[in-house]
């Protein structure tokens, strides 16, 4: 009885929204921008803690501990580097023969790898050694560039990418596009791993993303669907959210668990229309996320739920609710293209 009432309630709301059409969208637009005006000074400045579930549980304590190894490093910066390098895959090998979760080259490991877990071995494949080694290497670089003008964390990241000598010679982040992009990418990506300290600025493109999703209400679900003509304009959950943000100029990854890292993570009581909301069977690991929707307010989202259903309004407060992401353009651009 309760389940059928919930479904009926959702469809009543969905039908009303479709009927209201542009009026509903305009209410959302006004709501988002009123909140944006009220929160213009409420951006989170970062934290030395980690956002809930952003780092897989197997590595969270390592990242939290070693990410505080020196003042230039934070757990969020270390997490961003590891995610960028390997996507938390401890067995990956790059075309350049970089190995493991921290993607050390064997030659670099030989001089900078440490025995992080104290078992008498320095194992490039063991995250218990590789994660501490990545933090140790970062902090070594920070010491080399500590007297260089500018932000010491930016200079540390630049040294990681281009070498400490180039940073010292340039008097800061060198004018190398790859290095400048690396620093910006890790800084932006770290916002997705840091636990926010205060309210987070609204996403200005949120209303446009919601309007797109609303225009697809009633469209049948298609697993793997990206809305193409040969697919009959149908979507799956992450295909819908990807297309909604593409409509407003933000490129998201294709898969839901990768979309989670496209910005900072507001708490449940700070959700705003346009936030992506995520669902998982493992509440401690963002890599286990299996579903995503676009929050529209009042505890509801627009989502493409499953085969046999249509794009519709659904409540977000279920036992599998994992968390939310406030998508930012810089956050989306910072995501690795392959993970």
């Amino acid at each position: 009885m309760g389940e059928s009432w919930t479904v009926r309630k959702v469809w009543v709301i969905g039908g009303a929204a479709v009927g209201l059409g542009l009026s509903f969208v305009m209410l959302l637009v006004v709501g988002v921008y009123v909140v944006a005006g009220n929160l213009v000074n409420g951006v989170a400045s970062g934290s030395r803690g980690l956002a809930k579930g952003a780092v897989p549980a197997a590595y969270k304590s390592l990242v939290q501990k070693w990410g505080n190894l020196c003042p230039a490093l934070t757990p969020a910066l270390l997490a961003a580097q590891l995610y960028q390098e390997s996507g938390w895959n401890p067995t990956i090998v790059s075309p350049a023969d970089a190995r493991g979760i921290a993607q050390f080259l064997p030659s670099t490991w030989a001089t900078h790898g440490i025995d992080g877990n104290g078992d008498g071995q320095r194992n490039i494949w063991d995250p218990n050694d590789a994660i501490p080694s990545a933090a140790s290497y970062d902090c070594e670089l920070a010491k080399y560039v500590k007297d260089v003008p500018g932000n010491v964390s930016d200079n540390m990241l630049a040294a990681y990418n281009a070498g400490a000598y180039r940073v010292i010679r340039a008097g800061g982040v060198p004018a190398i596009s790859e290095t400048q992009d690396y620093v910006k990418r890790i800084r932006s990506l770290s916002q997705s791993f840091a636990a926010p300290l205060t309210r987070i600025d609204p996403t200005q493109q949120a209303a446009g993303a919601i309007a797109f999703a609303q225009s697809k209400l009633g469209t049948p679900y298609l697993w793997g669907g990206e809305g193409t003509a040969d697919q009959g304009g149908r979507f799956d959950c992450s295909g819908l959210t990807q297309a909604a943000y593409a409509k407003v100029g933000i490129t998201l990854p294709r898969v839901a668990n990768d979309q989670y890292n496209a910005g900072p993570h507001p708490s449940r009581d700070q959700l705003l229309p346009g936030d992506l909301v995520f669902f998982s069977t493992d509440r401690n690991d963002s890599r286990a996320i299996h579903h995503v929707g676009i929050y529209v307010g009042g505890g509801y989202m627009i989502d493409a739920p499953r085969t046999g259903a249509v794009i519709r309004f659904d409540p977000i407060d279920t036992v599998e609710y994992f968390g939310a992401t406030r998508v930012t353009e810089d956050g989306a651009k910072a995501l690795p293209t392959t993970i």
Side-chain angles (χ1 to χ4, degrees):
M1 183 64 144
E3 181 179 354
S4 62
W5 181 87
T6 300
V7 171
R8 188 159 60 249
K9 177 182 176 185
V10 169
W11 275 105
V12 168
I13 294 172
V18 172
L20 287 171
L22 184 60
S23 297
F24 180 72
V25 175
M26 290 310 296
L27 284 173
L28 288 171
V29 172
V30 171
V32 168
Y33 284 96
V34 166
V35 174
N38 290 339
L39 297 183
V40 69
N41 295 316
V43 65
S45 59
S47 169
R48 296 184 73 83
L50 292 167
K52 181 187 78 71
V55 174
Y59 311 125
K60 182 178 179 180
S61 61
L62 281 168
V63 173
Q64 182 65 54
K65 174 184 175 180
W66 290 92
N68 283 306
L69 184 61
C70 65
L73 189 62
T74 67
L77 279 178
L78 180 58
Q81 283 186 298
L82 294 166
Y83 180 69
Q84 166 70 27
E85 296 294 338
S86 69
W88 307 110
N89 184 346
T91 63
I92 193 170
V93 181
S94 80
D97 199 30
R99 302 176 182 184
I101 197 168
Q103 287 291 278
F104 274 100
L105 291 169
S107 58
T108 307
W109 181 261
T111 54
H112 296 286
I114 67 172
D115 177 12
N117 59 0
D119 66 355
Q121 300 181 28
R122 297 184 306 132
N123 186 347
I124 196 171
W125 302 108
D126 186 352
N128 293 290
D129 290 340
I131 292 174
S133 295
S136 175
Y137 185 40
D138 276 336
C139 291
E140 281 186 52
L141 293 171
K143 288 180 182 177
Y144 293 146
V145 299
K146 66 181 177 63
D147 295 325
V148 176
N151 182 281
V152 65
S153 297
D154 287 349
N155 290 336
M156 175 191 74
L157 293 171
Y160 185 93
N161 179 262
Y165 174 72
R166 286 182 173 174
V167 175
I168 294 168
R169 186 177 62 182
V173 178
I176 302 170
S177 58
E178 177 188 331
T179 302
Q180 292 178 340
D181 180 67
Y182 180 80
V183 173
K184 182 179 179 181
R185 182 183 296 269
I186 297 301
R187 281 296 207 174
S188 296
L189 193 55
S190 71
Q191 296 304 308
S192 178
F193 289 99
L197 293 174
T198 58
R199 286 187 178 273
I200 306 164
D201 273 348
T203 297
Q204 297 299 311
Q205 297 94 333
I210 293 169
F212 177 89
Q214 190 204 16
S215 73
K216 304 302 177 183
L217 286 168
T219 303
Y221 174 97
L222 176 67
W223 187 85
E226 298 180 334
T228 59
D230 63 300
Q231 295 172 333
R234 294 177 292 167
F235 297 90
D236 64 10
C237 65
S238 56
L240 176 65
T241 52
Q242 183 186 51
Y245 270 95
K247 192 71 174 177
V248 293
I250 295 179
T251 302
L252 290 175
R254 179 62 182 86
V255 182
N257 59 12
D258 291 337
Q259 293 179 3
Y260 182 73
N261 292 108
H265 306 295
S267 60
R268 172 65 182 84
D269 63 346
Q270 292 182 1
L271 287 181
L272 292 175
D275 290 345
L276 296 186
V277 284
F278 297 87
F279 303 83
S280 176
T281 53
D282 184 343
R283 301 290 295 277
N284 295 309
D285 185 0
S286 66
R287 304 308 294 161
I289 287 169
H290 63 78
H291 188 59
V292 60
I294 299 179
Y295 187 64
V296 295
Y300 279 83
M301 63 180 170
I302 296 175
D303 69 327
R306 62 179 181 276
T307 300
V310 299
I311 295 173
R312 67 192 191 191
F313 290 90
D314 274 323
I316 70 167
D317 291 315
T318 74
V319 294
E320 292 192 349
Y321 178 75
F322 181 87
T325 297
R326 187 152 301 155
V327 175
T328 67
E329 189 169 0
D330 284 345
K333 285 180 179 177
L335 293 174
T337 53
T338 57
I339 355 180

